[in-house]
Amino acid sequence: MISPEEACQKIYNLMPDRNIESVSLLSCVESCISENIIAQEDVPSFCRSPYDGYAFNSEATRNVTSTNPVEIDIIDTVPAGKNFEYFNNLEDADLNSPSKPKLNDRKKQDWKQTGMKVMTGGMIPDIYDAVLPWEQVGIKDKEQKILINKEIPSQHNIIPKGEDIKKGELVIKEGEKLTPYHIGVLASLGFTHPRVYAPYKIGILVTGTELVNPENDISPGKIRSSNNFSLGATLQCMGHEVLDFGIVGDSKKKLAEKIEEAVSKVDILLTTGGVSRGDYDFVPYVLEEMKAKRLFWRVKMKPGTPLHVSQYQGTPVISLSGNPAASMASFHLLLAPALQNNGKRQTATSLKERSHASFLAKDIKKKTSSLWRFVRGKAWIGNDGVFYSTPIAKEKPNMLKTMIWANGYIVVPPDSQAIRAGDKVNFIPIDK
Ligand SMILES: Nc1nc2c(c(=O)[nH]1)N[C@H]1C(S)=C(S)[C@@H](COP(=O)(O)OP(=O)(O)OC[C@H]3O[C@@H](n4cnc5c(N)ncnc54)[C@H](O)[C@@H]3O)O[C@H]1N2
Ligand code: MOO
């Protein structure tokens, strides 16, 4: 038997390299990016206004008071999207150009006393360095003039060029998992098909003569198979491609045939059931007969003790317990870091790294056990700002329903005494 940390690391090291592919923006959410993203341009690429209001030169407001306001001539309107770059060199500009009639009209005036009406997001010409929302100015002569009655500092209400993202900045690091916000950032930088690590093709094979598919009636002794669905759905949420190889009964021959078929089609194969000590628990023996390389069998943890991990023809074969909650615990605690692997991390995110200190809200009874216990539980932040966790009512590994309510595992180290409400315990959240 090996420790859960060791099992987690061994599984991590067994995973095949990830391919790299270019994927359209909406399809790459949850994928891990395979390259550093360095901004090739500023975002925004020009100074813009955060308000619907007026842009002007702050120098015009020096020594201005409520009894001595300044009057600013409004010479144009800047809608969002309009290019006002030509205005940046006003002193050099050809003010007689017929394409700039409003400037033409006012070619002799001091541009420092001028301003423009701006819309939220509109480009601010370089000659202006401040903006006031229209509610904060006096408006005269049908918006031909505005009155400002206090000193306004330079850069007031100006969204500077590159405020969000600077050209040359490392925005997303290789390996980061792409959230919807990463996708938005990539879009604003002009990416349409970022390069990401390709999902794994993961096969699921459930074993047990007692199993039937969900659409079937159940005769006495039979149960509907749920493991392929809860595991398959979890894998899909992680962005992997799932191939369901269905149910195989407890027959060594059929099991060997199915494993042979599955490994030829997938990057990783998950099996459930048949890994314990019963007369029909064939999975480890069949794999042994097939000359699969065994990495380990059994982990010092409960649930999930009988986990068997091997490699057949180069393909990792992860054989989980048939007990629904046990297979999910092995998956969340030992397998998930390997499947979230972005390709470059040398070591798995350990259970320790994933643990958060919490205060127990309800006693956990002592169980004489030299195994680590991972008690399904729920954690939350109380109104007092403290992080609490509480165990579920029934901790049995055959019960899946409790997983709907649980959001993680309370960690009980080997040979622990009873843990009382108020004691500090580690909690490992499930990345649902
Ligand atoms: N004498 C011993 N008996 C058991 C031991 C032991 O050490 N000595 N270990 C127990 C532990 S711990 C576990 S966990 C289970 C693991 O058993 P298997 O992995 O061999 O799984 P099965 O026996 O095939 O199934 C267990 C349980 O889960 C149900 N099952 C199986 N597949 C599915 C599925 N796809 N969907 C839903 N439910 C499934 C199955 O009917 C059984 O009830 O062994 C203990 N026994
Ligand atoms: O180790 Mo088992 O998975 O508790 O029932």
Side-chain angles (χ1 to χ4, degrees):
M1 271 206 198
I2 64 171
S3 73
E5 287 289 18
E6 218 181 320
C8 187
Q9 190 60 51
K10 277 186 189 286
I11 294 174
Y12 190 86
N13 294 342
L14 190 62
M15 291 299 124
D17 287 343
R18 303 280 286 261
N19 291 329
I20 289 171
E21 59 184 11
S22 284
V23 178
S24 73
L25 274 183
L26 275 184
S27 304
C28 70
V29 67
E30 294 291 308
S31 299
C32 291
I33 196 127
S34 67
E35 60 194 346
N36 284 336
I37 300 294
I38 295 167
Q40 299 301 310
E41 57 198 48
D42 286 317
V43 179
S45 57
F46 54 92
C47 289
R48 58 180 177 169
S49 170
Y51 294 117
D52 297 318
Y54 297 91
F56 52 91
N57 195 294
S58 61
E59 277 182 42
T61 69
R62 293 295 152 260
N63 306 320
V64 160
T65 62
S66 55
T67 52
N68 178 32
V70 62
E71 205 172 79
I72 306 269
D73 276 335
I74 300 305
I75 59 171
D76 210 342
T77 297
V78 189
K82 191 163 174 187
N83 181 2
F84 267 80
E85 262 176 353
Y86 73 89
F87 212 70
N88 290 344
N89 285 313
L90 184 64
E91 280 153 332
D92 302 333
D94 175 7
L95 300 184
N96 293 314
S97 159
S99 64
K100 297 155 195 159
K102 289 194 177 168
L103 297 184
N104 238 357
D105 290 344
R106 296 166 189 277
K107 58 185 177 183
K108 290 202 174 103
Q109 74 184 3
D110 176 2
W111 52 263
K112 279 189 187 155
Q113 295 297 121
T114 69
M116 284 193 192
K117 188 174 183 183
V118 285
M119 304 301 139
T120 304
M123 178 188 257
I124 313 268
D126 276 358
I127 54 165
Y128 301 134
D129 66 351
V131 166
L132 281 175
W134 60 262
E135 303 92 311
Q136 292 179 18
V137 301
I139 297 172
K140 275 180 67 180
D141 300 345
K142 295 188 177 160
E143 299 192 64
Q144 295 281 308
K145 294 177 193 304
I146 58 166
L147 291 176
I148 299 175
N149 63 8
K150 60 182 176 194
E151 279 200 38
I152 303 296
S154 178
Q155 300 311 308
H156 189 67
N157 291 333
I158 298 283
I159 298 177
K161 187 174 163 176
E163 181 186 57
D164 192 4
I165 299 169
K166 287 248 175 324
K167 185 176 176 180
E169 182 184 334
L170 171 61
V171 193
I172 305 178
K173 276 202 201 120
E174 182 277 335
E176 271 183 64
K177 194 172 178 181
L178 300 177
T179 65
Y181 319 107
H182 288 86
I183 305 291
V185 166
L186 287 165
S188 68
L189 287 170
F191 286 85
T192 59
H193 289 74
R195 284 161 66 75
V196 296
Y197 290 109
Y200 284 129
K201 230 182 245 176
I202 304 182
I204 305 178
L205 178 61
V206 291
T207 74
T209 302
E210 75 279 25
L211 303 175
V212 299
N213 285 317
E215 62 272 24
N216 294 118
D217 291 334
I218 37 177
S219 51
K222 300 281 186 189
I223 62 161
R224 293 196 182 92
S225 172
S226 62
N227 286 347
N228 41 339
F229 291 94
S230 36
L231 286 168
T234 310
L235 289 168
Q236 275 188 8
C237 288
M238 293 171 101
H240 295 294
E241 191 183 329
V242 179
L243 277 80
D244 191 341
F245 290 93
I247 298 167
V248 61
D250 296 318
S251 141
K252 284 187 180 174
K253 186 168 173 285
K254 284 191 183 140
L255 202 52
E257 283 169 5
K258 266 288 187 200
I259 293 175
E260 193 77 51
E261 179 202 337
V263 293
S264 69
K265 295 181 177 161
V266 298
D267 301 317
I268 299 160
L269 177 63
L270 305 187
T271 70
T272 75
V275 284
S276 187
R277 311 264 175 124
D279 291 353
Y280 299 94
D281 290 336
F282 295 143
V283 172
Y285 304 105
V286 165
L287 283 160
E288 196 170 7
E289 281 167 18
M290 294 171 81
K291 306 252 177 306
K293 180 181 158 203
R294 178 178 296 158
L295 277 95
F296 62 87
W297 186 8
R298 299 187 192 100
V299 182
K300 287 181 199 156
M301 66 187 268
K302 191 123 189 107
T305 321
L307 177 70
H308 181 274
V309 173
S310 60
Q311 197 176 29
Y312 180 62
Q313 294 183 350
T315 305
V317 181
I318 315 289
S319 301
L320 303 152
S321 158
N323 268 331
S327 64
M328 286 318 297
S330 301
F331 185 94
H332 290 137
L333 295 163
L334 309 184
L335 191 51
L339 299 181
Q340 282 156 350
N341 169 16
N342 54 41
K344 286 280 161 70
R345 243 190 95 117
Q346 295 301 306
T347 54
T349 320
S350 66
L351 292 160
K352 205 169 164 194
E353 279 174 272
R354 285 182 276 154
S355 295
H356 301 270
S358 69
F359 287 96
L360 199 64
K362 207 170 110 193
D363 294 357
I364 293 181
K365 285 193 193 125
K366 176 180 171 167
K367 274 192 186 164
T368 315
S369 171
S370 57
L371 305 180
W372 288 83
R373 271 168 75 196
F374 295 99
V375 179
R376 290 192 292 291
K378 185 162 189 132
W380 70 98
I381 296 172
N383 291 337
D384 50 6
V386 174
F387 189 54
Y388 292 102
S389 63
T390 194
I392 53 158
K394 284 186 183 161
E395 201 193 322
K396 293 184 176 170
N398 57 317
M399 296 178 69
L400 186 60
K401 187 184 74 183
T402 48
M403 291 298 312
I404 294 177
W405 181 81
N407 61 5
Y409 298 89
I410 297 167
V411 183
V412 182
D415 305 313
S416 290
Q417 297 302 312
I419 310 178
R420 304 276 170 226
D423 287 353
K424 222 176 187 182
V425 287
N426 274 330
F427 185 85
I428 301 179
I430 297 170
D431 195 3
K432 275 188 178 173

